[in-house]
């Protein structure tokens, strides 16, 4: 025998693929609950034993299946929800890929009982490792009752990666909560080890939130509601006196599908700006409804990521709706009688609106065709008039962007350095004239002391690094994927990744070794493009090797540095006004804003004398132009 290569038997190949679809009990819970919702049930029970590893059972009173479909539903790509590619554009159901039951049956022992309304008898079917072991007719209630036993009974390697029952139960419970929040009109019951944990009666969203999260939410839910052609927004944001570390209580549903969307989370957090204590995030429960053809849910198998065709429009409507909810709240909740201070601040205490300041330059004449001015007094008056006019035209805003510049040392411009190309081509956005991006690479903003020029890549590296370095923050925003990605490395990279895996986990990654040189990525920091997972990890590894560490804290720092470098916003990336503000505010409110962790300069402030010498204007102010 000369060949060492085996072709894997089909059942082994299936098991490997299935393990990736159903990577833990919670993933199976999500799929089974979604199937019950899609079946039109209005009562759904979930039973979990030992965190789901021994039993996951879902009982629904939905449409049920015919005897033929009871067998068919376990075949790969079997779905009743889609028949051609065009249907993908109009998806209204939660499922449509037809992979869940096939995957679950490949790695568990499944028993199904199901009956349609029109059938007198139902069907019982047992299937394990994709082999049907029993099929018979039976008497059963209308709907579907599916038991998934001994998950990964035939894939010990995967079973070994399950966490404790307690942790697996929490993941599963979170999926249950999400689906219960997405469908307040359905009655849900949750049993853990045969004990009833939760019974959520048919309700509305407001009461459903309180059923799940408790009475402390009772007076804290502020209604968000907007209805414009093409978009309906409904739900609740929590009043700013409730906030949490991290984004754990942020629920966004699009056409009832739970969605993770960093951009929208940022946007809503921005609507709270100045209302929340630093480092805290708001809680929200928001449903968006829009025509299915306006979204693409098929960009990722977990279907928790989404692309909006008209994101700009959605963001504007949503932002206004949330702002409005928070504003109404302010008026509603001020207790004029008590004389008590408000429970939260609207702006940081240290904020003092700056006085507009005009420095008159007696020798400077702003007119192209100067009227003969006989005295210095005339110049002053003419200048002041003209300045006022100019200000009016520019609509200079008297409450500029709030930048906290404590601790930033001003630097004299190094006039010998290159980059003195003064041809500024980008024009600031009309509504926000005070801070803008040029060459898709630099951020320019006037400060009291001059003009700040910020390198966006170095700034972003600094901001990321600071967020990693904050030992007590512990919540680097991360996106969990139910359908994880497999990445492959060389043997030496594998050793290295094993070594730094745990540290990466605290930076928003969730990486598991699955044997050989393969790893499974279950979660990654927000903003990482999925297609680049492998590349980014490779780059982090190579930055890290070039920089070996002695101590644990040094190791952690090197890893943070490598990760910040790879994930930073690069030169050439256009940024929205919000992103610019977020970046600069983070930069200036953190430590060491002047240099990136790898020592690159982040910003320069061109003070008055630097500008004057840049323009070859002597500091004494005479019009000594020489070109
Ligand atoms: P998908 O949900 O993507 O269609 P699944 O593998 O989850 O794929 O399910 C396959 C098919 O089995 C569904 O399309 C549906 O027709 C049927 N099915 C699954 N669960 C139920 C249920 N609880 N009640 C009725 N039909 C179901
Ligand atoms: Mg499904």
């Amino acid at each position: 025998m000369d060949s060492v290569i085996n072709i894997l038997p089909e059942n082994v190949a299936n098991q490997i693929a299935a393990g990736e679809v159903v990577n833990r009990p919670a993933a199976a819970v999500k799929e089974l609950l979604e199937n019950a919702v899609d079946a039109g049930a209005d009562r759904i029970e979930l039973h979990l034993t030992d965190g789901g590893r021994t039993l996951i059972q879902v009982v629904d009173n939905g449409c049920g299946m015919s005897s033929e479909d009871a067998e068919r539903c376990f075949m790969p790509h079997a779905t009743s929800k889609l028949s051609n590619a065009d249907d993908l554009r109009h998806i209204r159901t939660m499922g449509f890929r037809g992979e869940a039951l096939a995957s679950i049956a490949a790695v568990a022992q499944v028993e199904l009982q199901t009956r349609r309304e029109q059938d007198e008898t139902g069907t019982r079917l047992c299937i394990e490792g994709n082999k049907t072991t029993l099929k018979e007719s039976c008497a059963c209630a209308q709907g579907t009752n599916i038991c998934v036993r001994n998950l990964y009974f035939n894939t010990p390697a995967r079973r070994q990666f399950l966490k404790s029952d307690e942790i697996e139960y929490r993941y599963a419970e979170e999926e249950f909560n999400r689906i219960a929040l997405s469908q307040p009109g359905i009655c849900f019951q949750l049993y853990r080890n045969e004990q009833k944990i939760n019974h959520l009666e048919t309700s509305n969203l407001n009461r459903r939130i309180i059923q799940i999260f408790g009475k402390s939410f009772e007076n804290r839910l502020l209604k968000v509601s907007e209805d414009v052609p093409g978009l309906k927004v409904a739900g609740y944001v929590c009043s700013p006196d409730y906030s949490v570390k991290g984004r754990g209580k942020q629920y966004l549903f699009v056409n009832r599908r739970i969605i993770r969307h960093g951009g929208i989370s940022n946007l809503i957090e921005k609507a709270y700006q100045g209302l929340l204590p630093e480092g805290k995030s708001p809680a929200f429960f928001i449903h968006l409804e829009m025509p299915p053809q306006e979204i693409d849910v098929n960009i990722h198998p977990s279907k928790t990521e989404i692309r909006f065709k008209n994101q700009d429009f959605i963001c504007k409507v949503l932002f206004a709706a949330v702002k409005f909810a928070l504003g109404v709240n302010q008026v509603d909740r001020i207790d004029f009688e008590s004389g008590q201070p408000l429970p939260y601040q609207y702006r940081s205490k240290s904020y003092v609106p700056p006085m507009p300041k005009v420095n008159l330059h007696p020798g400077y004449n702003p007119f192209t065709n100067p009227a003969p001015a006989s005295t210095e007094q005339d110049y002053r008056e003419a200048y002041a008039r003209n300045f006022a006019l100019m200000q009016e035209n520019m609509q200079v805003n008297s409450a500029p962007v709030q930048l906290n510049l404590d601790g930033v040392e001003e630097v004299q411009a190094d006039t010998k350095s290159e980059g003195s190309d003064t041809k500024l081509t980008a024009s600031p956005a009309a509504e926000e004239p005070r801070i803008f991006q040029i060459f898709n690479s630099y951020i320019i903003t006037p400060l009291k002391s001059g003009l700040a020029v910020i390198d966006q890549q170095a700034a972003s590296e600094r901001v990321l690094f600071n967020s990693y370095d904050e030992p007590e923050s512990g919540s680097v925003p991360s996106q969990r994927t139910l359908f994880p990605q497999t990445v492959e490395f060389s043997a030496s990279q594998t050793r290295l990744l094993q070594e730094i895996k745990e540290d990466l986990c605290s930076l928003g990654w969730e990486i598991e070794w699955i044997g050989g040189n393969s790893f499974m990525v279950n979660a990654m920091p927000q903003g990482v493009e999925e297609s680049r997972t492998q590349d980014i990890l490779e780059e982090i590894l190579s930055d890290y090797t070039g920089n070996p560490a002695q101590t644990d804290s040094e190791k952690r720092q090197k890893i943070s540095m490598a990760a910040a470098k790879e994930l930073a916003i690069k030169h050439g990336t256009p940024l929205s006004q919000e992103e610019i503000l977020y970046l600069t505010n983070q930069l200036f409110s953190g430590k060491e804003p002047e240099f990136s962790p790898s020592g690159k300069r982040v910003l320069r402030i061109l003070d008055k004398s630097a500008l004057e010498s840049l323009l070859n204007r002597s500091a004494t102010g005479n019009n000594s132009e020489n070109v």
Side-chain angles (χ1 to χ4, degrees):
M1 274 264 246
D2 260 356
S3 170
V4 292
I5 297 175
N6 299 317
I7 306 296
L8 290 176
E10 202 183 314
N11 64 327
V12 177
N14 280 347
Q15 283 167 13
I16 293 173
E20 284 170 20
V21 176
V22 184
N23 67 327
R24 62 172 8 124
V29 166
K30 172 180 191 264
E31 296 294 340
L32 297 177
L33 290 174
E34 285 186 348
N35 281 348
V37 169
D38 285 343
D42 62 8
R43 298 187 74 82
I44 299 174
E45 269 173 42
L46 169 65
H47 300 254
L48 296 167
T49 306
D50 304 331
R53 77 177 75 210
T54 308
L55 172 75
I56 303 167
Q57 181 180 16
V58 174
V59 186
D60 71 57
N61 65 350
C63 63
M65 283 179 265
S66 67
S67 150
E68 195 183 329
D69 281 349
E71 202 163 358
R72 253 183 116 95
C73 68
F74 292 105
M75 286 162 50
H77 313 297
T79 180
S80 54
K81 302 166 193 175
L82 199 70
S83 58
N84 57 48
D86 197 46
D87 291 347
L88 259 182
R89 298 194 296 130
H90 312 284
I91 293 289
R92 279 269 174 210
T93 49
M94 298 297 113
F96 55 84
R97 303 174 65 100
E99 345 178 90
L101 291 184
S103 303
I104 291 170
V107 292
Q109 297 159 337
V110 180
E111 181 185 345
L112 171 77
Q113 284 188 51
T114 186
R115 183 172 70 82
R116 297 183 302 176
E117 191 180 14
Q118 65 268 40
D119 298 335
E120 237 159 63
T121 54
T123 308
R124 172 182 297 128
L125 189 122
C126 293
I127 179 166
E128 71 182 59
N130 275 140
K131 288 211 171 54
T132 307
T133 55
L134 171 92
K135 186 176 177 190
E136 61 185 18
S137 53
C138 69
C140 61
Q142 187 207 317
T144 300
N145 179 344
I146 185 165
C147 291
V148 174
R149 294 200 176 88
N150 305 322
L151 195 58
Y152 311 131
F153 78 104
N154 54 356
T155 47
R158 190 158 294 268
R159 197 165 59 230
Q160 193 180 309
F161 282 109
L162 292 180
K163 305 253 166 67
S164 69
D165 287 358
E166 179 62 30
I167 293 179
E168 294 301 339
Y169 172 78
R170 296 276 159 229
Y171 279 123
E173 187 189 37
E174 174 64 13
E175 294 299 344
F176 173 86
N177 288 344
R178 289 177 184 178
I179 293 193
L181 287 166
S182 77
Q183 301 283 352
I186 297 179
C187 167
F188 286 92
Q189 296 177 53
L190 171 63
Y191 292 79
R192 180 184 187 186
N193 300 336
E194 296 177 9
Q195 262 193 315
K196 195 187 257 192
I197 301 290
N198 223 338
H199 185 144
L200 309 171
E201 270 308 337
T202 300
S203 185
N204 57 23
L205 180 60
N206 184 315
R207 271 179 286 141
R208 178 62 44 104
I209 295 167
I210 297 161
Q211 285 171 339
I212 294 177
F213 296 112
K215 278 225 185 293
S216 64
F217 279 82
E218 201 149 33
N219 297 314
R220 292 208 163 102
L221 298 175
L222 313 172
K223 193 171 182 144
V224 181
S225 163
E226 186 57 83
D227 197 348
V228 293
L231 177 65
K232 200 169 152 195
V233 183
Y236 296 89
V237 291
C238 273
S239 60
D241 56 344
Y242 180 90
S243 59
V244 283
K245 232 175 216 180
R247 290 179 166 170
K249 287 250 170 11
Q250 303 192 345
Y251 294 87
L252 176 71
F253 303 93
V254 176
N255 297 348
R256 301 202 173 250
R257 186 189 298 284
I258 181 99
I259 293 301
R260 308 249 131 225
H261 198 289
I264 288 193
S265 288
N266 288 342
L267 180 87
I268 296 180
E269 284 171 14
K270 191 169 172 250
Y272 276 80
Q273 216 167 41
L275 299 179
L276 292 180
E278 212 165 297
K280 293 296 183 72
S281 301
F284 59 78
F285 310 86
I286 292 182
H287 280 262
L288 303 180
E289 219 156 286
M290 61 191 85
Q293 54 277 16
E294 286 298 304
I295 48 184
D296 181 0
V297 288
N298 199 28
I299 56 177
H300 190 272
S302 75
K303 301 166 289 180
T304 57
E305 276 172 48
I306 198 168
R307 204 170 282 145
F308 297 109
K309 298 235 166 90
N310 200 348
Q311 173 151 339
D312 208 39
F313 162 72
I314 290 158
C315 287
K316 283 192 174 126
V317 174
L318 186 57
F319 187 76
V322 172
K323 270 278 188 209
F324 183 74
L326 291 168
V328 166
N329 161 253
Q330 290 169 15
V331 178
D332 278 353
R333 291 168 55 93
I334 296 172
D335 181 349
F336 292 99
E337 304 291 82
S338 73
Q340 290 293 309
L342 295 174
Y344 41 81
Q345 287 165 246
Y346 299 118
R347 242 189 217 291
S348 89
K349 272 194 191 123
S350 56
Y351 179 71
V352 181
M355 284 292 289
K357 196 167 126 209
V358 178
N359 282 326
L360 291 188
H361 193 311
Y364 177 59
N365 181 353
F367 300 104
T368 36
N369 271 324
S374 49
T375 63
E376 192 185 302
Q377 184 61 25
D378 290 340
Y379 273 123
R380 276 174 180 276
E381 275 168 24
Y383 181 87
R385 258 200 319 276
N386 204 44
F387 186 86
L389 246 169
M390 183 178 80
Q391 257 190 330
E392 227 169 30
N393 287 339
M394 284 174 64
Q395 295 184 324
V396 172
N397 174 346
S398 64
V401 175
Q402 223 180 309
L403 292 177
N404 170 5
L405 281 169
D406 294 348
V408 177
E409 261 180 55
E410 284 172 24
V411 289
Q412 297 280 332
D414 178 0
T415 45
K416 277 181 239 84
S417 73
E418 314 132 331
S420 51
D421 178 7
T422 51
K423 204 164 145 266
L424 304 184
T425 47
S427 61
E431 64 272 29
E432 288 273 10
R434 314 288 303 240
I435 184 162
F436 56 92
Q437 187 192 31
I438 60 168
F439 309 131
N440 287 337
S441 299
Y442 302 97
I443 295 167
I444 311 283
T445 185
L447 301 174
K448 206 165 62 196
S449 51
L451 190 68
V453 184
I454 299 166
D455 179 317
Q456 71 187 39
Q457 184 167 338
S460 163
E461 217 176 302
R462 165 53 69 192
V463 165
L464 281 170
F465 181 80
N466 285 356
S467 76
Y468 297 157
D469 205 28
E470 201 61 63
E472 39 87 348
S473 92
S475 60
V476 178
S478 155
Q479 53 197 39
R480 194 156 71 88
T481 54
L482 282 173
F483 297 84
Q485 265 189 302
T486 311
V487 285
E488 292 280 336
F489 295 103
S490 69
S492 63
Q493 286 172 320
T494 299
R495 266 197 309 281
L496 206 58
L497 186 55
Q498 297 270 33
E499 190 184 315
I500 67 170
K501 193 159 67 72
E502 291 308 313
D503 297 270
L504 284 176
C505 287
S506 61
L507 305 183
W509 296 83
E510 198 181 307
I511 302 172
E512 282 171 24
W513 180 66
I514 51 172
N517 294 330
S518 312
F519 293 80
M520 203 163 78
V521 181
N522 290 318
M524 52 195 110
Q526 234 159 47
V528 175
E529 258 178 68
E530 214 138 289
S531 56
R532 292 205 55 226
T533 313
Q534 169 109 28
D535 292 353
I536 287 187
L537 282 172
E538 276 177 18
E539 281 159 20
I540 291 176
L541 289 174
S542 92
D543 288 343
Y544 176 72
T545 17
N547 226 339
Q550 308 297 328
T551 65
D552 269 2
S553 77
E554 205 184 30
K555 174 180 163 215
R556 161 88 197 200
Q557 186 166 8
K558 301 265 147 88
I559 295 167
S560 301
M561 243 167 87
K565 179 165 168 239
E566 292 315 323
L567 298 185
I569 301 165
K570 301 293 183 299
H571 283 154
T573 311
L575 298 179
S576 71
Q577 191 70 21
E578 274 136 37
E579 290 166 322
I580 294 173
L581 282 174
Y582 184 76
L583 182 64
T584 48
N585 280 328
Q586 291 292 101
L587 178 70
F588 291 123
S589 61
K591 60 179 192 216
E592 297 180 56
E594 278 180 83
F595 292 95
S596 77
S598 51
K600 279 179 291 231
R601 184 171 268 290
V602 173
L603 75 138
R604 288 250 185 217
I605 295 175
L606 301 178
D607 63 9
K608 183 151 177 276
S609 67
L611 285 171
E612 281 166 344
S613 73
L614 198 64
L615 298 168
N616 296 330
R617 184 182 291 279
S618 82
T620 53
N622 292 323
N623 285 349
S624 52
E625 308 268 16
N626 52 37
V627 183

